[in-house]
Amino acid sequence: MREIAIIGIGQTQVAEHWDKSLRELAGEAIFTAMLDAQRERVDGLFIGNMLSGVLARQENIGALIADWVGLKNVEAIKVEAACGSGAAALRAAIMAVGSGEMESAIAAGVEKMTETKGTETTAALATAADADYEAEQGLSFVAINALIMQRYMYEYGWKHTDFAPFSINAHANAAHNPYARLQEPISTKAYQQARMIADPINLLDASPIGDGAAAVVIVPADRLRTGSNSSNHPWIKIDGSASATDALAVHDRRDPLWLSAAEKSVHKAYNQAGVGPQDIDVFELHDAFSIMSALSLEACGFAERGQGPRMGLEGEITPTGCVPIATRGGLKARGHPVGATGLYQIIEVAQQLRGEAGVTQVPNARIGMAQNIGGSGATIITHILKIR
Amino acid sequence: MREIAIIGIGQTQVAEHWDKSLRELAGEAIFTAMLDAQRERVDGLFIGNMLSGVLARQENIGALIADWVGLKNVEAIKVEAACGSGAAALRAAIMAVGSGEMESAIAAGVEKMTETKGTETTAALATAADADYEAEQGLSFVAINALIMQRYMYEYGWKHTDFAPFSINAHANAAHNPYARLQEPISTKAYQQARMIADPINLLDASPIGDGAAAVVIVPADRLRTGSNSSNHPWIKIDGSASATDALAVHDRRDPLWLSAAEKSVHKAYNQAGVGPQDIDVFELHDAFSIMSALSLEACGFAERGQGPRMGLEGEITPTGCVPIATRGGLKARGHPVGATGLYQIIEVAQQLRGEAGVTQVPNARIGMAQNIGGSGATIITHILKIR
C-alpha cells in the first residue's frame, strides 16, 4: 500500500452545540481541515459516527455531509464501530487512498449527543455493548466499565485513589486546550470526593459526552515528496494503521482485564512502523474511564500487566514524562463525542508532532500514537504517526 | 489496485425471521459463503447495515458478528449508506483487499426489520432521507418516491399502468427463487387494483421490507490465477466498482428526475471494466419502487431520458430480453432488507454468471452489473462483475 500523509486538520470545540446541526458541526471541522491543507476538493469522504441514527434520526450522513460541504458527487460513506468509529473512518480512508482508488480523502468524525435527554443518551450509548446479553440485563456502558475496574482493583490490589493521576493529568492538560470541553484542572481531593456514578467509577473517572467534530485530509505521501504540498504546515506520515476486534460482551472474553484487541492492533502497528513502545513520544489513548488508561498502557507494552496505575503515580504520563498521555485533555477532559473521538486523537497527536501543542507540548515529539476503542474493548484501532 | 475476485456467496431467505437474531442471520449467510468458498478464515469483515442501532438498539456489529462467526480478533466494521449499505460494505472490502492490507475479506449485509411495529419501521426508514428538511415535514420514504413518480408521470406523459411490467417481471422471476420473500407471480389486473400507499405508488409498486443477510468472500484475483482456489465454483472477477453521491434531499438536486449519482458511478464503472451498456448481460438494479427502475435504466444508458417504462412495455427487461433486470425477483419480490440488499444483488449477478440461476437464467450471461441506492438517489454504488 502507498504511504499516506496527513496534510490538514480541523476540529470544533467539544461542547453543547445546541445552535449547530450535525451537518453544520461536521462542516466546521471539514472546512477548517481543508483550509489547513489548502485543498478545495478531495475524492472521498469517510464519516465516523455512532449515534446519528438513534439520536438525530438521521442515517446516510456520508451523502448529507458531502453535499453540505460542497463536495458534490464525491464518494461518501459512514463508518461505525461504536466509540471507535472515528479511527475506523480514518482507516477506511487510508485503505481507499492507499489502494489507489482515490488521490485524496477526508476522514471526519462527528457526534451530537447533548440535545437529547440524559437517559436517552445513556440508553443510546449502551448500543456499544451486547444488546442481547449485556444491555438486556440493564447494564449501562459505565456499569460495564465499573465491573471491569472493580475486578481489576481486586485482582491487583489497587485503591480507587491510585487512578487519580489519570484524571488529574487529563484535566491539567485540557486547561490549555481551547477545543476541550472541561478546561479546568482538578485536585486529588476533588477526584476522591466526586459523586459516585457506578462504583468504583465516580464522576471524575468518567469522560463527559459532548457535541463535536474533527477532520483530517489525507493524500499519498509520494505526491508530497514531489513538491505538490501547498500547505504551510509540515506534513505527518501515517506509519502504522491497524485494527482488531475481541468479543463484544465482556463475559465472552478470555480475560476481562486484558485488551487483546489493543495488543493485536498495536503489535501490527508497531511492526508496520518499525518501532516499539520505547519509541513513542506521545500516546493519545482511549481514556473513556480511568480504568481504560491502565488497561491500554498495559496492552501496548508501556506497563506490566496489572501495573498501569503505577505509570500515573510515578509521574510518567505528563507531557514531560516518559509516556505522555491525554496531552490535550484526553477523552476525560477534552470530552468524548463518541464517533468523533478517534479523529480528535489523531489531530492531537498531529499537533504534538507539528510542535503546535503550546503549554502541553511534548519536547521533541517525533513519533506519536493514537488508539481508539469501540465498546468496552471490542474494536481497537491503533495509528502511529511520524513527523516527516 | 489489485484485481478482486468473488469466490464464495451465501444468503438467507428474505422473510420474517422472528426466531433468529441479527447475529444469527448474519452468521447463516457468512457460514454459507465461507463454505461455498472453502475458506475457514478471512482477514477482514465489512458489515453493511442501516438500522441495527435504531431498531435493535445494537451498534458495533462488526465486532459482534466477527466474534459470533468465529473470526476471532479479525478487523471488522459496519458501513452505512442507508439502503446502499450492502454495496458500500463490499466496496470498502474491495479497497481493503485491493490496497494489500488484507489477503481476503467478507462483505456481509444484514438487516432485521420485521420485529418492530410497522410505524416504528417506517419512521426508521425515513432516516435515509433528510431529517431536518424532509422527514421533518412528515414525509415518509415512500412519500418522497411518490412525489418523484408523480412528477415523472406528469413530465413524460406516462400512466401508472405503464410501470406494471417492472413489478410483473420481478414477481415472475421471484417465483423461481427460493430465497425470495414473495414467490408469487402477479397479473396486470392485480397491479392496477392494488391498495394505494402514497399516490401514485401502490402496494405493488413498492418493495416489501424483510429480515435477511447476504455475504460474499473476496480475495485478490492473482492468487487464483496461481491455482490456490479450492472452491468448486468458477470465480467472478469484479471489473468495476464505483460510488458517487448527490444531495440527500430531493429538492436540493439539480433535477429530481435524474439520478446523477447513478450516472457518475456507472460511468466510472463502465470505464474501469472497459464496457458499455450494450455489453451488460444482466442488470440487478435498485427497484425499491417501480419509478426507481425507470430512473436507473435511464441514468445507466439503457433508455433515453423519460423513456424507462418503454423497456418494460417492450419486453426488454425479462431474462430473455436485451436488459434483464430483477432476474431473481429484485427488491420488489425478493424483498428489501435494506442494509443487506446490495449484497443480495451481487449474489444474484454472481449466480447468473455462474449459470446457477435455474429457470430465470439469462442465456450466456458473461458480464453483469449491480447497482445499489442509498436514500432516494443520494448514494449510488455500481459494481460490474465478469465470469472469468
Side-chain angles (χ1 to χ4, degrees), chain A residues 46-76:
Chain A
F46 296 81
I47 302 290
N49 170 273
M50 175 183 173
L51 297 173
S52 73
V54 174
L55 293 183
R57 308 295 297 180
Q58 181 70 72
E59 292 293 2
N60 218 354
I61 63 175
L64 178 78
I65 294 169
D67 182 49
W68 177 255
V69 300
L71 291 172
K72 190 130 182 87
N73 293 129
V74 95
E75 176 164 6

Side-chain angles (χ1 to χ4, degrees), chain B residues 112-125:
Chain B
K112 253 187 96 63
M113 309 174 71
T114 70
E115 258 177 73
T116 35
K117 272 190 264 179
T119 48
E120 205 181 317
T121 312
T122 299
L125 285 169

Side-chain angles (χ1 to χ4, degrees), chain A residues 326-378:
Chain A
T327 65
R328 307 292 281 155
L331 281 62
K332 176 66 202 79
R334 173 241 298 131
H336 186 24
V338 289
T341 287
L343 282 153
Y344 275 98
Q345 295 177 307
I346 294 291
I347 287 172
E348 288 157 359
V349 170
Q351 287 179 320
Q352 287 286 0
L353 301 184
R354 282 178 173 189
E356 296 172 358
V359 175
T360 59
Q361 178 67 46
V362 172
N364 304 313
R366 305 287 302 169
I367 303 176
M369 184 160 81
Q371 190 172 73
N372 192 198
I373 305 184
S376 57

Side-chain angles (χ1 to χ4, degrees), chain B residues 48-102:
Chain B
N49 171 273
M50 175 183 174
L51 298 173
S52 73
V54 174
L55 294 182
R57 309 295 298 180
Q58 180 70 73
E59 292 293 1
N60 219 352
I61 61 174
L64 178 77
I65 295 169
D67 182 49
W68 178 255
V69 299
L71 290 172
K72 191 130 182 88
N73 292 130
V74 95
E75 175 164 6
I77 55 165
K78 163 173 162 176
V79 175
E80 190 274 324
C83 306
S85 300
L90 173 60
R91 187 153 159 72
I94 288 170
M95 294 192 288
V97 176
S99 71
E101 280 287 283
M102 303 178 183

Side-chain angles (χ1 to χ4, degrees), chain B residues 177-371:
Chain B
N177 178 5
Y179 300 103
R181 171 130 201 220
L182 306 174
Q183 300 177 27
E184 288 154 26
I186 60 165
S187 64
T188 304
K189 193 174 166 193
Y191 175 80
Q192 289 165 335
Q193 296 181 347
R195 184 158 56 87
M196 189 56 70
I197 305 294
D199 193 8
I201 292 180
N202 74 22
L203 192 66
L204 291 179
D205 285 302
S207 57
I209 62 163
D211 306 329
V216 302
V217 181
I218 63 169
V219 295
D222 54 5
R223 292 292 164 118
L224 300 172
R225 293 216 177 80
T226 57
S228 69
N229 181 25
S230 51
S231 164
N232 297 319
H233 301 283
W235 49 272
I236 310 286
K237 202 152 64 77
I238 300 177
D239 263 13
S241 172
S243 176
T245 54
D246 197 351
L248 192 56
V250 178
H251 62 255
D252 282 335
R253 294 189 200 139
R254 193 181 181 87
D255 178 352
L257 301 183
W258 187 252
L259 296 177
S260 77
E263 184 188 17
K264 289 274 189 310
S265 75
V266 83
H267 181 74
K268 209 167 167 186
Y270 282 152
N271 278 347
Q272 290 168 347
V275 300
Q278 69 286 352
D279 301 309
I280 303 298
D281 298 317
V282 53
F283 177 26
E284 290 301 333
L285 49 67
H286 193 92
D287 56 331
F289 302 98
S290 46
I291 178 65
M292 281 293 143
S293 295
L295 297 182
S296 298
L297 287 168
E298 295 168 25
C300 297
F302 296 103
E304 294 294 307
R305 185 180 283 245
Q307 300 305 310
R310 194 174 302 280
M311 305 288 291
L313 293 169
E314 293 177 353
E316 300 292 15
I317 61 170
T318 66
T320 54
C322 73
V323 192
I325 64 173
T327 66
R328 308 291 282 154
L331 281 64
K332 176 65 201 79
R334 173 241 299 131
H336 186 24
V338 290
T341 288
L343 282 153
Y344 275 99
Q345 295 178 305
I346 295 291
I347 287 172
E348 289 158 358
V349 170
Q351 288 179 319
Q352 287 286 0
L353 301 183
R354 283 178 173 190
E356 297 172 357
V359 175
T360 60
Q361 177 68 47
V362 171
N364 304 313
R366 307 287 302 168
I367 303 176
M369 184 160 84
Q371 190 172 72

